[in-house]
Amino acid sequence: AFGSISAGARQMNMSYKRAWDLVEEMNVLFGKPVLDTQKGGQKGGGAQLTPIGLALVSRFRAIERAATAAAEAHMTALQAEIDAE
């Protein structure tokens, strides 16, 4: 979304090294690169998701939506218990 690992890391309040470590860990885990990167310089650098990276993000967002929907009734009931006290 931000076009570079450093910009994405800043957005997440994460160090550049930590972001790179996580990208490398995902590359190993999935057996394929999740990012295409271009080194900086006069033309600038950048990063974009590979097809497997796009699928990873898409599926993760779907899991988030499903988990939120599954938990909604429980969260509403818990809030009602908190408000009742």
Side-chain angles (χ1 to χ4, degrees):
F2 299 100
S4 76
I5 294 170
S6 58
R10 277 192 303 273
Q11 182 68 24
M12 296 178 69
N13 296 317
M14 181 184 299
S15 74
Y16 178 77
K17 179 170 181 353
R18 176 73 174 139
W20 253 118
D21 288 346
L22 290 171
V23 167
E24 289 175 359
E25 188 174 332
M26 286 187 290
N27 289 343
V28 170
L29 180 66
F30 293 103
K32 298 178 180 181
V34 297
L35 284 178
D36 280 329
T37 59
Q38 296 80 42
K39 290 187 177 185
Q42 287 183 337
K43 296 182 181 181
Q48 62 184 27
L49 293 169
T50 62
I52 192 70
L54 287 167
L56 174 65
V57 171
S58 177
R59 298 239 179 228
F60 180 81
R61 295 296 180 216
I63 291 167
E64 278 185 321
R65 288 188 301 274
T68 297
E72 186 174 4
H74 296 288
M75 295 304 291
T76 300
L78 180 58
Q79 187 63 53
E81 289 179 29
I82 291 168
D83 292 344
E85 291 184 12

